[in-house]
Amino acid sequence: MLADDALYEFTGGSAPTIDELAARYRRQVAGSGRENEFWLNWIARRIDTSEAVGFVQATVVGDVADVAWLVAVPQQRQGFAREAGGMMLTWLASHGVQRCRAHIAPDHVVSARVAEALGLTRSGTTDDAGEEVWTATAPFPPPG
């Protein structure tokens, strides 16, 4: 799923090797090592086949979460990011998160549409990487 170089058009880099993925997953499982910072990662799967179609993730500090989503190229534009992202926001809110942020490349129209569908809005600021910061405050809209 992560082997398609098209996934890295907006984030840069290229598809990771199996060894690079294994190292990434070990780091994610270990967590940040910072007190009160939590890394959460979920695999998004099709309900009908259980096929992995992508993932959603959140870095939570206090009651604020930085969120992200990724869907494999063949499954894009089918609502998977919106559905999985909405379920993530619902879970985060039920665990005390009051505000979410997403960092989106300014020319990544599809990701911006997902953010809008999730109830996030442009904050008018950019991060150090030049990505637009989108925000939402709980209660977040229901998934779907």
Side-chain angles (χ1 to χ4, degrees):
M1 173 179 73
L2 298 177
D4 191 329
D5 282 330
L7 287 173
Y8 307 94
E9 176 182 353
F10 295 100
T11 59
S14 59
T17 66
I18 294 295
D19 290 340
E20 290 168 336
L21 273 178
R24 177 189 304 172
Y25 295 151
R26 281 192 296 274
R27 286 190 305 274
Q28 288 175 337
V29 168
S32 73
R34 295 184 195 103
E35 190 174 339
N36 299 320
E37 180 176 296
F38 303 96
W39 291 354
L40 306 169
N41 298 277
W42 293 271
I43 301 296
R45 296 184 173 277
R46 292 182 61 100
I47 292 171
D48 56 349
T49 65
S50 296
E51 171 191 13
V53 296
F55 62 81
V56 292
Q57 55 190 189
T59 298
V60 180
V61 178
D63 65 354
V64 178
D66 284 294
V67 299
W69 47 86
L70 181 138
V71 172
V73 173
Q75 285 80 25
Q76 290 179 2
R77 300 176 192 253
Q78 297 179 48
F80 293 120
R82 182 184 69 245
E83 185 174 1
M87 294 173 78
M88 172 179 59
L89 294 185
T90 298
W91 188 93
L92 291 168
S94 74
H95 287 81
V97 170
Q98 293 297 308
R99 194 168 72 124
C100 286
R101 297 183 297 224
H103 302 253
I104 299 174
D107 53 347
H108 199 321
V109 175
V110 174
S111 209
R113 286 186 187 140
V114 171
E116 287 174 345
L118 295 176
L120 283 83
T121 58
R122 286 181 166 95
S123 69
T125 61
T126 56
D127 63 17
D128 293 340
E131 293 184 324
E132 293 181 307
V133 179
W134 291 63
T135 62
T137 303
F140 308 115

